[in-house]
């Protein structure tokens, strides 16, 4: 039925999440709905019904499974429904990674200046708190309420370390930073400059992971923590 080498069919959801690039070779991998976002899945071009090209299969040798969902149909040239959404997601991940890199650069050129800031500069800074749907701005000092917020954030981050797409060495670094921070917070001795430095280090690793993530689930998860940490820094250190 197939020659020595052939192109398998890819199954992709309408939002561009790849379900499998071997829908023929491995039909068990097919899904009616996308496990990432719940959208309907496609194996054919909506315009001309040509199969969506997946991975190559070389009989007796093997197959590749690193094919990305194509942007256009190979037969009629129409853009697939996910083209724009994928482009937006890629651009966002790239922008985020660039912002993180820029921030890191600023830190380097800024030397240690943020390490010696007196605690008074961040005491009484506004921090968003409240219940879902009804947030309110309250005034707190970093050493009490926001330290508690940060403890919750750090604990949650540590619990999710395996789901963030971090490389093994980056995971160790983030873990070390987070645990160090946790120890300082628990001891009530978290020096603001140190907190900020640790958080920025963690942010950078998360941004790297998000920029190179293999699945949108990882991008979402890493982005979630990036957002929380960014908000915390903005609220307590003024961005
Ligand atoms: Zn999807
Ligand atoms: Zn087509």
């Amino acid at each position: 039925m197939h020659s020595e080498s052939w192109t398998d069919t890819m199954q992709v959801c309408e939002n561009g999440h790849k379900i499998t690039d071997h829908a023929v070779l491995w039909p068990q991998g097919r899904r009616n709905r996308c496990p990432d976002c719940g959208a309907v899945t496609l194996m054919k071009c909506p315009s001309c019904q040509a199969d969506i090209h997946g991975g190559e299969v070389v009989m007796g040798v093997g197959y590749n499974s690193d094919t990305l969902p194509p942007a256009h149909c190979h037969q009629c040239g129409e853009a697939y429904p996910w083209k724009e959404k994928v482009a937006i997601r890629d651009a966002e991940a790239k922008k985020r990674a660039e912002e993180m890199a820029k921030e890191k650069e600023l830190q380097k050129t800024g030397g240690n200046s943020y390490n010696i800031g007196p605690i008074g500069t961040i005491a009484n800074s506004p921090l968003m708190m409240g219940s879902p749907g009804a947030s309110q701005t309250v005034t707190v000092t970093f050493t009490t309420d926001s330290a508690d917020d940060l403890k919750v954030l750090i604990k949650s981050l540590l619990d999710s370390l395996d789901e963030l797409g971090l490389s093994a060495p980056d995971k160790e670094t983030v873990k070390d930073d987070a645990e160090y921070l946790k120890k300082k917070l628990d001891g009530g001795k978290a020096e603001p400059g140190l907190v900020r430095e640790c958080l920025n280090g963690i942010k950078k690793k998360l941004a790297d992971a998000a920029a190179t993530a293999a699945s949108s689930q990882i991008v979402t998860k890493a982005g979630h923590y990036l957002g929380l940490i960014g908000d915390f820094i903005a609220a307590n250190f003024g961005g």
Side-chain angles (χ1 to χ4, degrees):
M1 86 183 217
H2 290 296
S3 59
E4 295 280 291
S5 159
W6 51 283
T7 304
D8 208 332
T9 299
M10 185 182 289
Q11 191 180 42
V12 189
C13 93
E14 279 187 338
N15 289 322
H17 300 130
K18 181 169 79 176
I19 311 299
T20 173
D21 38 18
H22 292 287
V24 174
L25 184 72
W26 194 60
Q28 300 95 312
R30 296 182 195 175
R31 298 289 178 265
N32 287 332
R33 291 277 178 167
C34 174
D36 270 355
C37 72
V40 296
T41 56
L42 308 172
M43 294 200 295
K44 289 179 186 302
C45 168
S47 298
C48 74
Q49 304 302 313
D51 289 339
I52 299 167
H53 271 177
E56 294 298 318
V57 181
V58 183
M59 296 313 278
V61 178
Y63 56 88
N64 74 335
S65 56
D66 53 3
T67 320
L68 290 171
H72 291 264
C73 173
H74 63 92
Q75 181 162 285
C76 73
E78 271 298 305
Y80 285 123
W82 53 80
K83 185 191 173 190
E84 211 143 297
K85 292 166 191 162
V86 169
I88 290 170
R89 280 206 300 271
D90 285 354
E92 277 170 359
K94 190 164 168 253
K95 194 171 147 229
R96 210 155 224 180
E98 281 170 0
E99 279 169 2
M100 296 300 129
K102 213 185 284 172
E103 196 160 308
K104 192 78 181 173
E105 206 47 48
L106 275 177
Q107 267 183 49
K108 262 189 226 154
T109 52
N112 289 327
S113 57
Y114 52 82
N115 261 336
I116 50 169
I119 199 149
T121 58
I122 55 159
N124 303 320
S125 64
L127 180 72
M128 296 299 285
M129 296 183 75
S131 50
S135 66
Q136 54 174 144
T137 304
V138 294
T139 301
V140 295
T141 58
F142 174 74
T143 45
T144 54
D145 292 12
S146 40
D148 286 342
D149 279 1
L150 189 55
K151 274 190 225 176
V152 173
L153 171 57
I154 294 298
K155 183 176 183 306
S156 160
L157 178 71
L158 281 167
D159 288 344
S160 305
L161 270 186
D162 290 333
E163 302 155 40
L164 302 173
L166 292 160
S167 67
D170 280 1
K171 197 161 87 181
E172 276 310 300
T173 307
V174 170
K175 188 165 174 257
D176 286 350
D177 277 357
E179 279 176 347
Y180 181 67
L181 212 47
K182 185 171 175 293
K183 213 170 81 187
K184 288 282 180 183
L185 287 165
D186 286 342
K189 290 208 170 29
E191 200 259 324
L194 180 139
V195 171
R196 183 176 189 170
E197 197 175 7
C198 272
L199 288 178
N200 276 321
I202 293 172
K203 253 175 86 180
K204 172 70 171 63
K205 300 293 182 201
L206 288 176
D208 287 349
T212 56
S215 87
S216 61
Q217 250 166 333
I218 293 175
V219 174
T220 307
K221 192 98 185 173
H224 170 71
Y225 286 105
L226 274 175
L228 288 178
I229 293 172
D231 288 351
F232 185 89
I233 292 175
N236 291 280
F237 303 101

